[in-house]
Structure formats: structure tokens, C-alpha cells
Amino acid sequence: MGMSSSFTGKTVLVTGATGFIGTVLCRQLSLSGAILHGISRRSVPDNGCEVNWWQGDLADNGWVQYVVEEAKPNILFHLGSHVAGARDISLVLPTFNSNLFSTVNLLTAAARVGCQRIILAGSMEEPDYGDEVSVPSSPYAAAKWAANAYARMFRELYGLSVYTARIFMVYGPGQMDLKKLIPYVILSLLNGKAPDLTSGHRQIDWVYVDDVVRGLMAMANSSEIGNARVDLGSGHFSTIKTVVEKLVNLINPEIIPQFGTLPERPLEQTRIARISDSKASIGWEPSISLDEGLASTVSWYQKQMQLGQL
């Protein structure tokens, strides 16, 4: 990914370090010579990276303050969150605690120790700035949107260099949330089953995980970022139906996917990444096409199945 020099000797703290994006980010930062600290709620893995692991809950204010003071990061990537797109009322408090409260804890601790750059993982579910009529479409989207407001306050009021990456529909090898569309469809097809789906008409901006990680690293590296928020997406729409059909052709063209057997979710967002803004802001643009990304994702899951890991 060719960004080695700027991370050499820098102390970098990554929350959600054992997650889908966090794992890839830690691997790249490790290759780039960063001194790595990783926070995870789960027991911490031995994944071959040189990481100083911290296991705990980001909603615990005292613990967060302690970790940030001990690690003294130059750069902080906050990827840890409770990701759930569902609309259920039972998700309101868990997403508030793990997405909003945790972010405010981290921003406060980072401001106190004088962290040089903070990158928050935002979501394509968030409405645009200045779009006051939009209603967040889920408890997750509401927490992410509010976290963004706190980030802007910390930047203006306390001079914290904090930026939000608005990440679009990320996919790729290593995504272990098997309820997500692409892993679910791939595993159904590999097991010879027809996946149950919505109509498939929803237009989505899909982005490959390696492109997202390059974007996050570019945000940490850029001396001046023009915008408070940077879009990390492909800048192209593909419907769910198109993606499923591509996967069927890659794995088993005999299987007929069951479109229309699941209901559509309410308040689904249709947003596309503003790639020209991202390029102007941090010099980044995506480089992996949907066909290329889906092919490498399929081959990763095939390999995991052969190894008996799934």
C-alpha cells in the first residue's frame, strides 16, 4: 500500500482492532512500522501482528482514560462499534453505549493527552451535513450521526484534529458477520442452497476492504484535510441483485436466488460516495473493481471452507 515512512515510529491506537476492517488496518500499520496498540472487547488474538493488546469496554470512561494515557497515541483510529442495521427498539441503548458514549469517552481522553490525529469510522447511513430534514434510519445511524456532531464540537472547541470517514458498504475477505449480504450469499451458494433475499432493487455503493484501509491511512497521513468528513466508497452504484448474480456466476450458475422472499427494511438509504471530493481532500481513490473484489472474496471463503474454518 506504499505508505510506510509516515507511520514509522508513530504510536497508533486502533479500537475494534479484531473486527473486519480493524484486522486489515492493523496488518497494514504493522507493515508500515507503526507502534501498535489494539483495543478489543473480545479476547485478543495471536494473529501474527505485533500489537499491544488491551481488552475492555469503551463505555468504561475510567478505563478508556487509563489506556489512552498509557499508550499516548499519536494517531487514533476508532473503529470499535456495535454494528446493527436493524430497527429494533432493543438496539437503542446498546448502540448508544457502544457507538456514541464510547466515542465521547475516547475524544475526551484523546484531547487530554494531546493526540495528533483521530479518525472516526462513520457510516453511509448518516445523513449529509446541513440536511436537517433527514431522520436517522436506525439506532445505529442516530448514534453515528450524533458522534459526528461531537467530533465537530471537539475540533472547533478544543482544537482536536478529528475527522470522520463515511464508509460505504464495505466487503471483502475476512468478513465474519455471516448475516451480512455478501458472506451470507457466498456461503449459501457454496453449500448448494438458494439464498433468500429482498427484491434486490436497492442501489448500493460497495467498497472493497483494502481500499477502505488505504483511505483510513491516507486520512491519518494527510497534513490538511479539506473536509470534516471524507467519503470512502467506490463512487458507483450496483444493485443487490447485480451483486448476487455476479456471485451466482462465480460459484454455481445452477442455483436460482430467491428474490422477493424477504421484506424490504424501512427507511433504506440510497447514497453514493463523492470520490472526487475524497481525492481532492486526501489524494485517495478506490482501485479495486467490484468484479475483482468479489472474485477475491469468494476465493477467501472457499479456502476457509476447505480448511474447515467456517
PDB file of all heavy atoms in Angstrom, residues 47-76:
ATOM      1  N   ASN A  47      -2.617 -12.963  15.976  1.00  0.00           N
ATOM      2  CA  ASN A  47      -2.769 -13.013  14.514  1.00  0.00           C
ATOM      3  C   ASN A  47      -1.499 -12.613  13.784  1.00  0.00           C
ATOM      4  O   ASN A  47      -1.517 -12.138  12.669  1.00  0.00           O
ATOM      5  CB  ASN A  47      -3.959 -12.143  14.065  1.00  0.00           C
ATOM      6  CG  ASN A  47      -3.816 -10.708  14.531  1.00  0.00           C
ATOM      7  OD1 ASN A  47      -2.784 -10.350  15.107  1.00  0.00           O
ATOM      8  ND2 ASN A  47      -4.815  -9.903  14.293  1.00  0.00           N
ATOM      9  N   GLY A  48      -0.370 -12.786  14.468  1.00  0.00           N
ATOM     10  CA  GLY A  48       0.903 -12.554  13.792  1.00  0.00           C
ATOM     11  C   GLY A  48       1.319 -11.088  13.744  1.00  0.00           C
ATOM     12  O   GLY A  48       2.401 -10.768  13.300  1.00  0.00           O
ATOM     13  N   CYS A  49       0.432 -10.168  14.198  1.00  0.00           N
ATOM     14  CA  CYS A  49       0.802  -8.747  14.220  1.00  0.00           C
ATOM     15  C   CYS A  49       1.450  -8.419  15.553  1.00  0.00           C
ATOM     16  O   CYS A  49       1.066  -8.975  16.581  1.00  0.00           O
ATOM     17  CB  CYS A  49      -0.435  -7.870  14.066  1.00  0.00           C
ATOM     18  SG  CYS A  49      -0.961  -7.673  12.378  1.00  0.00           S
ATOM     19  N   GLU A  50       2.396  -7.512  15.501  1.00  0.00           N
ATOM     20  CA  GLU A  50       2.989  -7.005  16.738  1.00  0.00           C
ATOM     21  C   GLU A  50       2.043  -5.957  17.309  1.00  0.00           C
ATOM     22  O   GLU A  50       2.121  -4.786  16.949  1.00  0.00           O
ATOM     23  CB  GLU A  50       4.329  -6.343  16.419  1.00  0.00           C
ATOM     24  CG  GLU A  50       5.385  -7.295  15.902  1.00  0.00           C
ATOM     25  CD  GLU A  50       6.256  -7.806  17.036  1.00  0.00           C
ATOM     26  OE1 GLU A  50       6.488  -7.048  18.002  1.00  0.00           O
ATOM     27  OE2 GLU A  50       6.692  -8.968  16.967  1.00  0.00           O
ATOM     28  N   VAL A  51       1.128  -6.374  18.181  1.00  0.00           N
ATOM     29  CA  VAL A  51       0.157  -5.430  18.739  1.00  0.00           C
ATOM     30  C   VAL A  51       0.191  -5.517  20.263  1.00  0.00           C
ATOM     31  O   VAL A  51       0.218  -6.605  20.829  1.00  0.00           O
ATOM     32  CB  VAL A  51      -1.287  -5.751  18.256  1.00  0.00           C
ATOM     33  CG1 VAL A  51      -2.276  -4.725  18.799  1.00  0.00           C
ATOM     34  CG2 VAL A  51      -1.375  -5.787  16.735  1.00  0.00           C
ATOM     35  N   ASN A  52       0.193  -4.341  20.907  1.00  0.00           N
ATOM     36  CA  ASN A  52      -0.006  -4.297  22.353  1.00  0.00           C
ATOM     37  C   ASN A  52      -1.517  -4.310  22.588  1.00  0.00           C
ATOM     38  O   ASN A  52      -2.203  -3.341  22.295  1.00  0.00           O
ATOM     39  CB  ASN A  52       0.578  -2.994  22.928  1.00  0.00           C
ATOM     40  CG  ASN A  52       2.058  -2.856  22.606  1.00  0.00           C
ATOM     41  OD1 ASN A  52       2.876  -3.599  23.113  1.00  0.00           O
ATOM     42  ND2 ASN A  52       2.395  -1.919  21.718  1.00  0.00           N
ATOM     43  N   TRP A  53      -2.029  -5.433  23.109  1.00  0.00           N
ATOM     44  CA  TRP A  53      -3.482  -5.612  23.196  1.00  0.00           C
ATOM     45  C   TRP A  53      -4.050  -5.113  24.509  1.00  0.00           C
ATOM     46  O   TRP A  53      -3.484  -5.346  25.578  1.00  0.00           O
ATOM     47  CB  TRP A  53      -3.850  -7.081  23.020  1.00  0.00           C
ATOM     48  CG  TRP A  53      -3.749  -7.551  21.601  1.00  0.00           C
ATOM     49  CD1 TRP A  53      -2.793  -8.387  21.084  1.00  0.00           C
ATOM     50  CD2 TRP A  53      -4.601  -7.203  20.514  1.00  0.00           C
ATOM     51  NE1 TRP A  53      -3.016  -8.573  19.746  1.00  0.00           N
ATOM     52  CE2 TRP A  53      -4.108  -7.863  19.366  1.00  0.00           C
ATOM     53  CE3 TRP A  53      -5.739  -6.393  20.398  1.00  0.00           C
ATOM     54  CZ2 TRP A  53      -4.718  -7.750  18.115  1.00  0.00           C
ATOM     55  CZ3 TRP A  53      -6.345  -6.280  19.163  1.00  0.00           C
ATOM     56  CH2 TRP A  53      -5.826  -6.949  18.028  1.00  0.00           C
ATOM     57  N   TRP A  54      -5.212  -4.466  24.417  1.00  0.00           N
ATOM     58  CA  TRP A  54      -5.988  -4.049  25.579  1.00  0.00           C
ATOM     59  C   TRP A  54      -7.383  -4.615  25.411  1.00  0.00           C
ATOM     60  O   TRP A  54      -8.006  -4.411  24.370  1.00  0.00           O
ATOM     61  CB  TRP A  54      -6.096  -2.524  25.645  1.00  0.00           C
ATOM     62  CG  TRP A  54      -4.791  -1.806  25.694  1.00  0.00           C
ATOM     63  CD1 TRP A  54      -3.997  -1.467  24.642  1.00  0.00           C
ATOM     64  CD2 TRP A  54      -4.123  -1.302  26.862  1.00  0.00           C
ATOM     65  NE1 TRP A  54      -2.877  -0.787  25.072  1.00  0.00           N
ATOM     66  CE2 TRP A  54      -2.931  -0.671  26.442  1.00  0.00           C
ATOM     67  CE3 TRP A  54      -4.428  -1.315  28.235  1.00  0.00           C
ATOM     68  CZ2 TRP A  54      -2.044  -0.063  27.325  1.00  0.00           C
ATOM     69  CZ3 TRP A  54      -3.534  -0.703  29.112  1.00  0.00           C
ATOM     70  CH2 TRP A  54      -2.362  -0.105  28.662  1.00  0.00           C
ATOM     71  N   GLN A  55      -7.854  -5.328  26.426  1.00  0.00           N
ATOM     72  CA  GLN A  55      -9.202  -5.889  26.333  1.00  0.00           C
ATOM     73  C   GLN A  55     -10.098  -5.184  27.338  1.00  0.00           C
ATOM     74  O   GLN A  55      -9.796  -5.155  28.531  1.00  0.00           O
ATOM     75  CB  GLN A  55      -9.181  -7.387  26.623  1.00  0.00           C
ATOM     76  CG  GLN A  55     -10.526  -8.030  26.363  1.00  0.00           C
ATOM     77  CD  GLN A  55     -10.548  -9.501  26.767  1.00  0.00           C
ATOM     78  OE1 GLN A  55      -9.522 -10.071  27.104  1.00  0.00           O
ATOM     79  NE2 GLN A  55     -11.719 -10.093  26.736  1.00  0.00           N
ATOM     80  N   GLY A  56     -11.178  -4.589  26.826  1.00  0.00           N
ATOM     81  CA  GLY A  56     -12.077  -3.886  27.734  1.00  0.00           C
ATOM     82  C   GLY A  56     -13.224  -3.226  26.994  1.00  0.00           C
ATOM     83  O   GLY A  56     -13.386  -3.404  25.786  1.00  0.00           O
ATOM     84  N   ASP A  57     -13.980  -2.446  27.749  1.00  0.00           N
ATOM     85  CA  ASP A  57     -15.203  -1.845  27.234  1.00  0.00           C
ATOM     86  C   ASP A  57     -15.015  -0.336  27.090  1.00  0.00           C
ATOM     87  O   ASP A  57     -14.724   0.366  28.057  1.00  0.00           O
ATOM     88  CB  ASP A  57     -16.337  -2.143  28.226  1.00  0.00           C
ATOM     89  CG  ASP A  57     -17.690  -1.661  27.726  1.00  0.00           C
ATOM     90  OD1 ASP A  57     -17.740  -1.021  26.646  1.00  0.00           O
ATOM     91  OD2 ASP A  57     -18.691  -1.926  28.415  1.00  0.00           O
ATOM     92  N   LEU A  58     -15.208   0.160  25.865  1.00  0.00           N
ATOM     93  CA  LEU A  58     -15.004   1.592  25.596  1.00  0.00           C
ATOM     94  C   LEU A  58     -16.052   2.471  26.273  1.00  0.00           C
ATOM     95  O   LEU A  58     -15.895   3.686  26.335  1.00  0.00           O
ATOM     96  CB  LEU A  58     -15.025   1.848  24.087  1.00  0.00           C
ATOM     97  CG  LEU A  58     -13.843   1.256  23.306  1.00  0.00           C
ATOM     98  CD1 LEU A  58     -14.105   1.336  21.817  1.00  0.00           C
ATOM     99  CD2 LEU A  58     -12.548   1.968  23.658  1.00  0.00           C
ATOM    100  N   ALA A  59     -17.127   1.860  26.765  1.00  0.00           N
ATOM    101  CA  ALA A  59     -18.127   2.650  27.501  1.00  0.00           C
ATOM    102  C   ALA A  59     -17.683   2.891  28.954  1.00  0.00           C
ATOM    103  O   ALA A  59     -18.339   3.617  29.690  1.00  0.00           O
ATOM    104  CB  ALA A  59     -19.482   1.946  27.469  1.00  0.00           C
ATOM    105  N   ASP A  60     -16.542   2.283  29.349  1.00  0.00           N
ATOM    106  CA  ASP A  60     -15.998   2.482  30.699  1.00  0.00           C
ATOM    107  C   ASP A  60     -15.016   3.655  30.662  1.00  0.00           C
ATOM    108  O   ASP A  60     -13.868   3.531  30.259  1.00  0.00           O
ATOM    109  CB  ASP A  60     -15.295   1.192  31.155  1.00  0.00           C
ATOM    110  CG  ASP A  60     -14.681   1.312  32.540  1.00  0.00           C
ATOM    111  OD1 ASP A  60     -14.473   2.442  33.022  1.00  0.00           O
ATOM    112  OD2 ASP A  60     -14.398   0.254  33.135  1.00  0.00           O
ATOM    113  N   ASN A  61     -15.531   4.820  31.097  1.00  0.00           N
ATOM    114  CA  ASN A  61     -14.789   6.066  30.966  1.00  0.00           C
ATOM    115  C   ASN A  61     -13.403   6.025  31.618  1.00  0.00           C
ATOM    116  O   ASN A  61     -12.398   6.409  31.021  1.00  0.00           O
ATOM    117  CB  ASN A  61     -15.663   7.180  31.585  1.00  0.00           C
ATOM    118  CG  ASN A  61     -15.018   8.529  31.520  1.00  0.00           C
ATOM    119  OD1 ASN A  61     -14.091   8.735  30.748  1.00  0.00           O
ATOM    120  ND2 ASN A  61     -15.502   9.447  32.321  1.00  0.00           N
ATOM    121  N   GLY A  62     -13.338   5.530  32.855  1.00  0.00           N
ATOM    122  CA  GLY A  62     -12.061   5.479  33.572  1.00  0.00           C
ATOM    123  C   GLY A  62     -11.041   4.596  32.877  1.00  0.00           C
ATOM    124  O   GLY A  62      -9.863   4.937  32.770  1.00  0.00           O
ATOM    125  N   TRP A  63     -11.506   3.468  32.380  1.00  0.00           N
ATOM    126  CA  TRP A  63     -10.611   2.533  31.697  1.00  0.00           C
ATOM    127  C   TRP A  63     -10.072   3.144  30.396  1.00  0.00           C
ATOM    128  O   TRP A  63      -8.890   3.030  30.085  1.00  0.00           O
ATOM    129  CB  TRP A  63     -11.356   1.219  31.412  1.00  0.00           C
ATOM    130  CG  TRP A  63     -10.490   0.186  30.763  1.00  0.00           C
ATOM    131  CD1 TRP A  63      -9.554  -0.601  31.360  1.00  0.00           C
ATOM    132  CD2 TRP A  63     -10.461  -0.152  29.368  1.00  0.00           C
ATOM    133  NE1 TRP A  63      -8.942  -1.417  30.433  1.00  0.00           N
ATOM    134  CE2 TRP A  63      -9.484  -1.166  29.203  1.00  0.00           C
ATOM    135  CE3 TRP A  63     -11.169   0.284  28.242  1.00  0.00           C
ATOM    136  CZ2 TRP A  63      -9.192  -1.738  27.967  1.00  0.00           C
ATOM    137  CZ3 TRP A  63     -10.881  -0.276  27.021  1.00  0.00           C
ATOM    138  CH2 TRP A  63      -9.899  -1.283  26.871  1.00  0.00           C
ATOM    139  N   VAL A  64     -10.962   3.817  29.660  1.00  0.00           N
ATOM    140  CA  VAL A  64     -10.544   4.455  28.397  1.00  0.00           C
ATOM    141  C   VAL A  64      -9.468   5.509  28.676  1.00  0.00           C
ATOM    142  O   VAL A  64      -8.429   5.573  28.001  1.00  0.00           O
ATOM    143  CB  VAL A  64     -11.752   5.093  27.668  1.00  0.00           C
ATOM    144  CG1 VAL A  64     -11.301   5.999  26.525  1.00  0.00           C
ATOM    145  CG2 VAL A  64     -12.684   4.001  27.138  1.00  0.00           C
ATOM    146  N   GLN A  65      -9.702   6.325  29.691  1.00  0.00           N
ATOM    147  CA  GLN A  65      -8.730   7.364  30.066  1.00  0.00           C
ATOM    148  C   GLN A  65      -7.377   6.730  30.406  1.00  0.00           C
ATOM    149  O   GLN A  65      -6.325   7.193  29.973  1.00  0.00           O
ATOM    150  CB  GLN A  65      -9.282   8.140  31.273  1.00  0.00           C
ATOM    151  CG  GLN A  65      -8.441   9.337  31.700  1.00  0.00           C
ATOM    152  CD  GLN A  65      -8.437  10.470  30.679  1.00  0.00           C
ATOM    153  OE1 GLN A  65      -9.430  10.757  30.042  1.00  0.00           O
ATOM    154  NE2 GLN A  65      -7.277  11.101  30.500  1.00  0.00           N
ATOM    155  N   TYR A  66      -7.411   5.631  31.162  1.00  0.00           N
ATOM    156  CA  TYR A  66      -6.186   4.926  31.567  1.00  0.00           C
ATOM    157  C   TYR A  66      -5.422   4.405  30.342  1.00  0.00           C
ATOM    158  O   TYR A  66      -4.209   4.618  30.213  1.00  0.00           O
ATOM    159  CB  TYR A  66      -6.551   3.770  32.514  1.00  0.00           C
ATOM    160  CG  TYR A  66      -5.412   2.825  32.772  1.00  0.00           C
ATOM    161  CD1 TYR A  66      -4.343   3.191  33.592  1.00  0.00           C
ATOM    162  CD2 TYR A  66      -5.397   1.554  32.189  1.00  0.00           C
ATOM    163  CE1 TYR A  66      -3.282   2.324  33.821  1.00  0.00           C
ATOM    164  CE2 TYR A  66      -4.344   0.676  32.407  1.00  0.00           C
ATOM    165  CZ  TYR A  66      -3.288   1.058  33.223  1.00  0.00           C
ATOM    166  OH  TYR A  66      -2.236   0.209  33.438  1.00  0.00           O
ATOM    167  N   VAL A  67      -6.135   3.736  29.424  1.00  0.00           N
ATOM    168  CA  VAL A  67      -5.480   3.160  28.246  1.00  0.00           C
ATOM    169  C   VAL A  67      -4.843   4.252  27.388  1.00  0.00           C
ATOM    170  O   VAL A  67      -3.694   4.134  26.949  1.00  0.00           O
ATOM    171  CB  VAL A  67      -6.480   2.329  27.400  1.00  0.00           C
ATOM    172  CG1 VAL A  67      -5.865   1.929  26.067  1.00  0.00           C
ATOM    173  CG2 VAL A  67      -6.922   1.096  28.168  1.00  0.00           C
ATOM    174  N   VAL A  68      -5.586   5.334  27.160  1.00  0.00           N
ATOM    175  CA  VAL A  68      -5.074   6.409  26.297  1.00  0.00           C
ATOM    176  C   VAL A  68      -3.866   7.087  26.959  1.00  0.00           C
ATOM    177  O   VAL A  68      -2.878   7.406  26.294  1.00  0.00           O
ATOM    178  CB  VAL A  68      -6.201   7.412  25.937  1.00  0.00           C
ATOM    179  CG1 VAL A  68      -5.647   8.622  25.204  1.00  0.00           C
ATOM    180  CG2 VAL A  68      -7.268   6.725  25.077  1.00  0.00           C
ATOM    181  N   GLU A  69      -3.905   7.246  28.268  1.00  0.00           N
ATOM    182  CA  GLU A  69      -2.746   7.833  28.968  1.00  0.00           C
ATOM    183  C   GLU A  69      -1.528   6.914  28.919  1.00  0.00           C
ATOM    184  O   GLU A  69      -0.399   7.372  28.794  1.00  0.00           O
ATOM    185  CB  GLU A  69      -3.107   8.145  30.428  1.00  0.00           C
ATOM    186  CG  GLU A  69      -3.837   9.475  30.575  1.00  0.00           C
ATOM    187  CD  GLU A  69      -4.344   9.715  31.999  1.00  0.00           C
ATOM    188  OE1 GLU A  69      -4.043   8.889  32.890  1.00  0.00           O
ATOM    189  OE2 GLU A  69      -5.051  10.720  32.199  1.00  0.00           O
ATOM    190  N   GLU A  70      -1.774   5.614  29.034  1.00  0.00           N
ATOM    191  CA  GLU A  70      -0.657   4.645  28.991  1.00  0.00           C
ATOM    192  C   GLU A  70      -0.070   4.541  27.580  1.00  0.00           C
ATOM    193  O   GLU A  70       1.143   4.511  27.414  1.00  0.00           O
ATOM    194  CB  GLU A  70      -1.147   3.253  29.432  1.00  0.00           C
ATOM    195  CG  GLU A  70      -1.420   3.133  30.917  1.00  0.00           C
ATOM    196  CD  GLU A  70      -0.148   3.172  31.753  1.00  0.00           C
ATOM    197  OE1 GLU A  70       0.780   2.398  31.456  1.00  0.00           O
ATOM    198  OE2 GLU A  70      -0.074   3.987  32.694  1.00  0.00           O
ATOM    199  N   ALA A  71      -0.946   4.447  26.576  1.00  0.00           N
ATOM    200  CA  ALA A  71      -0.477   4.241  25.197  1.00  0.00           C
ATOM    201  C   ALA A  71       0.077   5.528  24.590  1.00  0.00           C
ATOM    202  O   ALA A  71       0.986   5.495  23.778  1.00  0.00           O
ATOM    203  CB  ALA A  71      -1.623   3.714  24.336  1.00  0.00           C
ATOM    204  N   LYS A  72      -0.470   6.688  24.991  1.00  0.00           N
ATOM    205  CA  LYS A  72      -0.092   8.001  24.422  1.00  0.00           C
ATOM    206  C   LYS A  72      -0.013   7.953  22.891  1.00  0.00           C
ATOM    207  O   LYS A  72       1.040   8.170  22.306  1.00  0.00           O
ATOM    208  CB  LYS A  72       1.244   8.479  24.997  1.00  0.00           C
ATOM    209  CG  LYS A  72       1.173   8.836  26.463  1.00  0.00           C
ATOM    210  CD  LYS A  72       2.458   9.518  26.910  1.00  0.00           C
ATOM    211  CE  LYS A  72       2.438   9.840  28.388  1.00  0.00           C
ATOM    212  NZ  LYS A  72       2.135   8.652  29.239  1.00  0.00           N
ATOM    213  N   PRO A  73      -1.130   7.669  22.225  1.00  0.00           N
ATOM    214  CA  PRO A  73      -1.064   7.527  20.767  1.00  0.00           C
ATOM    215  C   PRO A  73      -0.871   8.861  20.051  1.00  0.00           C
ATOM    216  O   PRO A  73      -1.438   9.873  20.454  1.00  0.00           O
ATOM    217  CB  PRO A  73      -2.432   6.925  20.412  1.00  0.00           C
ATOM    218  CG  PRO A  73      -3.345   7.379  21.514  1.00  0.00           C
ATOM    219  CD  PRO A  73      -2.492   7.477  22.749  1.00  0.00           C
ATOM    220  N   ASN A  74      -0.072   8.825  18.984  1.00  0.00           N
ATOM    221  CA  ASN A  74      -0.011   9.967  18.061  1.00  0.00           C
ATOM    222  C   ASN A  74      -1.260   9.983  17.186  1.00  0.00           C
ATOM    223  O   ASN A  74      -1.780  11.036  16.841  1.00  0.00           O
ATOM    224  CB  ASN A  74       1.209   9.862  17.126  1.00  0.00           C
ATOM    225  CG  ASN A  74       2.512   9.717  17.893  1.00  0.00           C
ATOM    226  OD1 ASN A  74       3.143   8.668  17.846  1.00  0.00           O
ATOM    227  ND2 ASN A  74       2.889  10.751  18.620  1.00  0.00           N
ATOM    228  N   ILE A  75      -1.711   8.770  16.822  1.00  0.00           N
ATOM    229  CA  ILE A  75      -2.855   8.622  15.916  1.00  0.00           C
ATOM    230  C   ILE A  75      -3.821   7.612  16.532  1.00  0.00           C
ATOM    231  O   ILE A  75      -3.391   6.576  17.055  1.00  0.00           O
ATOM    232  CB  ILE A  75      -2.392   8.121  14.526  1.00  0.00           C
ATOM    233  CG1 ILE A  75      -1.428   9.128  13.890  1.00  0.00           C
ATOM    234  CG2 ILE A  75      -3.585   7.874  13.600  1.00  0.00           C
ATOM    235  CD1 ILE A  75      -0.643   8.585  12.722  1.00  0.00           C
ATOM    236  N   LEU A  76      -5.103   7.927  16.448  1.00  0.00           N
ATOM    237  CA  LEU A  76      -6.133   7.036  16.984  1.00  0.00           C
ATOM    238  C   LEU A  76      -7.158   6.741  15.890  1.00  0.00           C
ATOM    239  O   LEU A  76      -7.709   7.664  15.291  1.00  0.00           O
ATOM    240  CB  LEU A  76      -6.815   7.719  18.177  1.00  0.00           C
ATOM    241  CG  LEU A  76      -8.095   7.127  18.765  1.00  0.00           C
ATOM    242  CD1 LEU A  76      -7.905   5.705  19.239  1.00  0.00           C
ATOM    243  CD2 LEU A  76      -8.600   7.981  19.924  1.00  0.00           C
TER     244      LEU A  76
END
